Amino acid sequence: MSAMNARRLQRQGGVALLEVMIAVILLGIGLLGAIGLQARSYAALADAGQRAEATIQADKLLGMMNNDVANIAGYALAADGQAGSALAPWLAETRALIPGATATVTVARQGTRWRVDVTIAWRRKQGGDGNRHQVTAYVV
């Protein structure tokens, strides 16, 4: 081998190592992005689960009220009010399924029917944004 070829090989000696180091850094950045995306999707899944529970609980309460129209006014609940005997089991179940949930139920007579507004509010994590689910139904 000539001296010139030996010098060329010596100058090229660290290039492969440099390429590997750059590839590892780019792979690390990509993996960090994927981990961040996974964390965000987990948070969105938890929010969706709690919204689904709120929908189910509101529907369950409206079903109870439909079956007990004669006592429908007894289902009213202020934001920090005490639940009546008919509403207490539902409220306890709602709070068990959605930690920290608060519920408001307004019942208003409108002619021959009742307007019912069920609002369930909760905060998924301390200091996070609050969530609120409201359903309005008419019971005849």
Side-chain angles (χ1 to χ4, degrees):
M1 214 191 298
S2 71
M4 193 122 155
N5 284 339
R7 261 190 251 135
R8 274 191 202 153
L9 285 175
Q10 198 174 21
R11 276 191 299 186
Q12 296 288 323
V15 172
L17 182 60
L18 183 62
E19 287 175 352
V20 168
M21 288 173 53
I22 290 172
V24 167
I25 290 171
L26 290 175
L27 179 65
I29 290 171
L31 287 175
L32 284 175
I35 290 169
L37 184 62
Q38 183 70 24
R40 279 192 164 173
S41 68
Y42 179 74
L45 180 64
D47 281 343
Q50 289 180 334
R51 277 193 304 276
E53 286 297 341
T55 301
I56 291 167
Q57 288 304 108
D59 188 48
K60 183 183 261 186
L61 177 61
L62 291 170
M64 289 168 42
M65 294 170 91
N66 260 329
N67 288 328
D68 192 19
V69 177
N71 301 314
I72 198 166
Y75 287 91
L77 176 66
D80 292 324
Q82 190 72 3
S85 61
L87 195 60
W90 173 84
L91 187 58
E93 182 182 6
T94 300
R95 288 182 176 158
L97 293 170
I98 306 169
T102 60
T104 305
V105 180
T106 57
V107 179
R109 188 162 191 76
Q110 291 185 338
T112 60
R113 62 185 182 172
W114 295 88
R115 177 188 167 138
V116 179
D117 292 312
V118 179
T119 304
I120 301 171
W122 70 95
R123 189 174 306 276
R124 192 176 66 81
K125 62 181 182 179
Q126 189 81 20
D129 292 337
N131 296 301
R132 189 180 133 194
H133 182 73
Q134 182 173 356
V135 175
T136 299
Y138 294 91
V139 179
V140 180

Short mmCIF file of all heavy atoms in Angstrom, two decimals, residues 20-53:
data_model
loop_
_atom_site.label_atom_id
_atom_site.label_comp_id
_atom_site.label_asym_id
_atom_site.label_seq_id
_atom_site.Cartn_x
_atom_site.Cartn_y
_atom_site.Cartn_z
N VAL A 20 -22.48 6.45 13.56
CA VAL A 20 -23.21 5.64 14.54
C VAL A 20 -23.69 6.51 15.70
O VAL A 20 -24.83 6.40 16.15
CB VAL A 20 -22.34 4.47 15.05
CG1 VAL A 20 -22.97 3.80 16.26
CG2 VAL A 20 -22.12 3.46 13.94
N MET A 21 -22.86 7.40 16.18
CA MET A 21 -23.24 8.28 17.29
C MET A 21 -24.41 9.19 16.89
O MET A 21 -25.35 9.39 17.67
CB MET A 21 -22.04 9.11 17.75
CG MET A 21 -21.02 8.28 18.51
SD MET A 21 -19.48 9.15 18.90
CE MET A 21 -20.04 10.60 19.71
N ILE A 22 -24.40 9.73 15.68
CA ILE A 22 -25.49 10.58 15.21
C ILE A 22 -26.78 9.76 15.08
O ILE A 22 -27.86 10.22 15.47
CB ILE A 22 -25.11 11.25 13.87
CG1 ILE A 22 -24.03 12.30 14.12
CG2 ILE A 22 -26.33 11.89 13.21
CD1 ILE A 22 -23.44 12.90 12.86
N ALA A 23 -26.66 8.54 14.58
CA ALA A 23 -27.85 7.68 14.46
C ALA A 23 -28.43 7.36 15.83
O ALA A 23 -29.66 7.34 16.00
CB ALA A 23 -27.48 6.39 13.73
N VAL A 24 -27.61 7.11 16.83
CA VAL A 24 -28.09 6.82 18.19
C VAL A 24 -28.79 8.04 18.77
O VAL A 24 -29.85 7.92 19.41
CB VAL A 24 -26.92 6.35 19.09
CG1 VAL A 24 -27.32 6.34 20.55
CG2 VAL A 24 -26.46 4.97 18.66
N ILE A 25 -28.26 9.23 18.55
CA ILE A 25 -28.89 10.46 19.05
C ILE A 25 -30.25 10.66 18.39
O ILE A 25 -31.25 10.97 19.07
CB ILE A 25 -27.96 11.68 18.82
CG1 ILE A 25 -26.76 11.60 19.76
CG2 ILE A 25 -28.72 12.99 19.02
CD1 ILE A 25 -25.68 12.61 19.47
N LEU A 26 -30.34 10.47 17.08
CA LEU A 26 -31.61 10.63 16.38
C LEU A 26 -32.62 9.58 16.84
O LEU A 26 -33.82 9.89 17.01
CB LEU A 26 -31.41 10.53 14.87
CG LEU A 26 -30.67 11.71 14.23
CD1 LEU A 26 -30.43 11.45 12.76
CD2 LEU A 26 -31.45 12.99 14.43
N LEU A 27 -32.18 8.36 17.06
CA LEU A 27 -33.06 7.33 17.57
C LEU A 27 -33.58 7.68 18.96
O LEU A 27 -34.76 7.50 19.26
CB LEU A 27 -32.33 5.98 17.61
CG LEU A 27 -33.13 4.80 18.13
CD1 LEU A 27 -34.29 4.49 17.21
CD2 LEU A 27 -32.23 3.59 18.29
N GLY A 28 -32.70 8.21 19.81
CA GLY A 28 -33.10 8.63 21.16
C GLY A 28 -34.15 9.73 21.13
O GLY A 28 -35.13 9.70 21.88
N ILE A 29 -33.99 10.70 20.25
CA ILE A 29 -34.97 11.78 20.11
C ILE A 29 -36.31 11.22 19.64
O ILE A 29 -37.37 11.59 20.16
CB ILE A 29 -34.44 12.87 19.15
CG1 ILE A 29 -33.27 13.61 19.79
CG2 ILE A 29 -35.56 13.84 18.77
CD1 ILE A 29 -32.54 14.54 18.85
N GLY A 30 -36.27 10.30 18.70
CA GLY A 30 -37.50 9.67 18.22
C GLY A 30 -38.20 8.88 19.31
O GLY A 30 -39.43 8.92 19.44
N LEU A 31 -37.45 8.16 20.11
CA LEU A 31 -38.04 7.39 21.20
C LEU A 31 -38.65 8.28 22.27
O LEU A 31 -39.71 7.97 22.81
CB LEU A 31 -37.00 6.46 21.83
CG LEU A 31 -36.62 5.24 20.98
CD1 LEU A 31 -35.48 4.47 21.64
CD2 LEU A 31 -37.81 4.35 20.74
N LEU A 32 -37.99 9.40 22.58
CA LEU A 32 -38.57 10.34 23.54
C LEU A 32 -39.89 10.91 23.02
O LEU A 32 -40.84 11.08 23.78
CB LEU A 32 -37.58 11.47 23.83
CG LEU A 32 -36.42 11.12 24.75
CD1 LEU A 32 -35.46 12.31 24.86
CD2 LEU A 32 -36.92 10.72 26.12
N GLY A 33 -39.95 11.19 21.75
CA GLY A 33 -41.20 11.67 21.16
C GLY A 33 -42.31 10.63 21.25
O GLY A 33 -43.45 10.94 21.55
N ALA A 34 -41.96 9.38 21.00
CA ALA A 34 -42.95 8.30 21.08
C ALA A 34 -43.44 8.11 22.51
O ALA A 34 -44.63 7.88 22.75
CB ALA A 34 -42.35 7.00 20.55
N ILE A 35 -42.55 8.25 23.49
CA ILE A 35 -42.94 8.13 24.90
C ILE A 35 -43.88 9.27 25.28
O ILE A 35 -44.88 9.06 25.97
CB ILE A 35 -41.69 8.09 25.80
CG1 ILE A 35 -40.96 6.76 25.61
CG2 ILE A 35 -42.08 8.28 27.27
CD1 ILE A 35 -39.59 6.72 26.26
N GLY A 36 -43.59 10.48 24.83
CA GLY A 36 -44.47 11.62 25.10
C GLY A 36 -45.84 11.44 24.47
O GLY A 36 -46.87 11.75 25.08
N LEU A 37 -45.88 10.91 23.26
CA LEU A 37 -47.14 10.65 22.58
C LEU A 37 -47.95 9.59 23.34
O LEU A 37 -49.16 9.71 23.50
CB LEU A 37 -46.88 10.19 21.15
CG LEU A 37 -48.08 9.96 20.26
CD1 LEU A 37 -48.86 11.26 20.08
CD2 LEU A 37 -47.63 9.43 18.92
N GLN A 38 -47.27 8.57 23.83
CA GLN A 38 -47.93 7.51 24.60
C GLN A 38 -48.54 8.08 25.89
O GLN A 38 -49.65 7.74 26.26
CB GLN A 38 -46.93 6.40 24.94
CG GLN A 38 -47.53 5.24 25.66
CD GLN A 38 -48.45 4.42 24.81
OE1 GLN A 38 -48.35 4.41 23.60
NE2 GLN A 38 -49.38 3.72 25.44
N ALA A 39 -47.81 8.97 26.57
CA ALA A 39 -48.32 9.58 27.80
C ALA A 39 -49.56 10.43 27.53
O ALA A 39 -50.53 10.39 28.28
CB ALA A 39 -47.23 10.42 28.46
N ARG A 40 -49.52 11.18 26.45
CA ARG A 40 -50.69 12.00 26.10
C ARG A 40 -51.89 11.14 25.73
O ARG A 40 -53.03 11.47 26.06
CB ARG A 40 -50.36 12.94 24.94
CG ARG A 40 -49.63 14.15 25.38
CD ARG A 40 -49.60 15.14 24.27
NE ARG A 40 -49.23 16.43 24.81
CZ ARG A 40 -48.99 17.47 24.08
NH1 ARG A 40 -49.10 17.38 22.78
NH2 ARG A 40 -48.65 18.61 24.62
N SER A 41 -51.65 10.06 25.03
CA SER A 41 -52.78 9.20 24.66
C SER A 41 -53.37 8.52 25.89
O SER A 41 -54.58 8.31 25.96
CB SER A 41 -52.36 8.16 23.61
OG SER A 41 -51.46 7.23 24.16
N TYR A 42 -52.54 8.20 26.86
CA TYR A 42 -53.04 7.60 28.11
C TYR A 42 -53.93 8.60 28.86
O TYR A 42 -54.99 8.25 29.36
CB TYR A 42 -51.89 7.15 28.99
CG TYR A 42 -52.34 6.55 30.30
CD1 TYR A 42 -52.89 5.29 30.35
CD2 TYR A 42 -52.24 7.28 31.48
CE1 TYR A 42 -53.33 4.75 31.54
CE2 TYR A 42 -52.68 6.75 32.67
CZ TYR A 42 -53.22 5.48 32.70
OH TYR A 42 -53.66 4.97 33.88
N ALA A 43 -53.50 9.87 28.91
CA ALA A 43 -54.30 10.90 29.57
C ALA A 43 -55.63 11.10 28.84
O ALA A 43 -56.68 11.24 29.47
CB ALA A 43 -53.53 12.21 29.63
N ALA A 44 -55.61 11.10 27.51
CA ALA A 44 -56.84 11.26 26.74
C ALA A 44 -57.77 10.06 26.96
O ALA A 44 -58.99 10.22 27.04
CB ALA A 44 -56.52 11.41 25.25
N LEU A 45 -57.20 8.87 27.09
CA LEU A 45 -58.01 7.68 27.34
C LEU A 45 -58.67 7.75 28.71
O LEU A 45 -59.84 7.40 28.87
CB LEU A 45 -57.13 6.43 27.24
CG LEU A 45 -57.83 5.09 27.46
CD1 LEU A 45 -58.87 4.85 26.38
CD2 LEU A 45 -56.81 3.97 27.49
N ALA A 46 -57.94 8.24 29.71
CA ALA A 46 -58.51 8.38 31.05
C ALA A 46 -59.65 9.41 31.04
O ALA A 46 -60.70 9.18 31.66
CB ALA A 46 -57.43 8.79 32.04
N ASP A 47 -59.46 10.52 30.34
CA ASP A 47 -60.53 11.53 30.23
C ASP A 47 -61.76 10.95 29.54
O ASP A 47 -62.89 11.18 29.97
CB ASP A 47 -60.04 12.75 29.45
CG ASP A 47 -59.18 13.67 30.29
OD1 ASP A 47 -59.21 13.56 31.53
OD2 ASP A 47 -58.47 14.51 29.70
N ALA A 48 -61.54 10.21 28.47
CA ALA A 48 -62.67 9.62 27.74
C ALA A 48 -63.42 8.62 28.62
O ALA A 48 -64.65 8.54 28.57
CB ALA A 48 -62.18 8.95 26.46
N GLY A 49 -62.70 7.86 29.41
CA GLY A 49 -63.34 6.89 30.30
C GLY A 49 -64.22 7.58 31.33
O GLY A 49 -65.34 7.12 31.62
N GLN A 50 -63.73 8.68 31.89
CA GLN A 50 -64.53 9.39 32.88
C GLN A 50 -65.73 10.08 32.23
O GLN A 50 -66.81 10.14 32.82
CB GLN A 50 -63.66 10.40 33.63
CG GLN A 50 -62.70 9.70 34.57
CD GLN A 50 -61.82 10.66 35.33
OE1 GLN A 50 -61.55 11.77 34.88
NE2 GLN A 50 -61.36 10.22 36.49
N ARG A 51 -65.58 10.58 31.01
CA ARG A 51 -66.73 11.16 30.31
C ARG A 51 -67.78 10.09 30.02
O ARG A 51 -68.98 10.33 30.15
CB ARG A 51 -66.29 11.83 29.00
CG ARG A 51 -65.77 13.22 29.18
CD ARG A 51 -65.64 13.95 27.85
NE ARG A 51 -64.80 13.26 26.89
CZ ARG A 51 -63.48 13.35 26.84
NH1 ARG A 51 -62.84 14.09 27.72
NH2 ARG A 51 -62.80 12.71 25.93
N ALA A 52 -67.33 8.91 29.66
CA ALA A 52 -68.27 7.81 29.41
C ALA A 52 -69.01 7.43 30.69
O ALA A 52 -70.23 7.20 30.67
CB ALA A 52 -67.53 6.60 28.84
N GLU A 53 -68.29 7.37 31.82
CA GLU A 53 -68.93 7.06 33.10
C GLU A 53 -69.96 8.13 33.45
O GLU A 53 -71.05 7.82 33.95
CB GLU A 53 -67.90 6.93 34.22
CG GLU A 53 -67.08 5.67 34.17
CD GLU A 53 -67.88 4.40 34.35
OE1 GLU A 53 -69.03 4.44 34.85
OE2 GLU A 53 -67.36 3.34 33.97
#
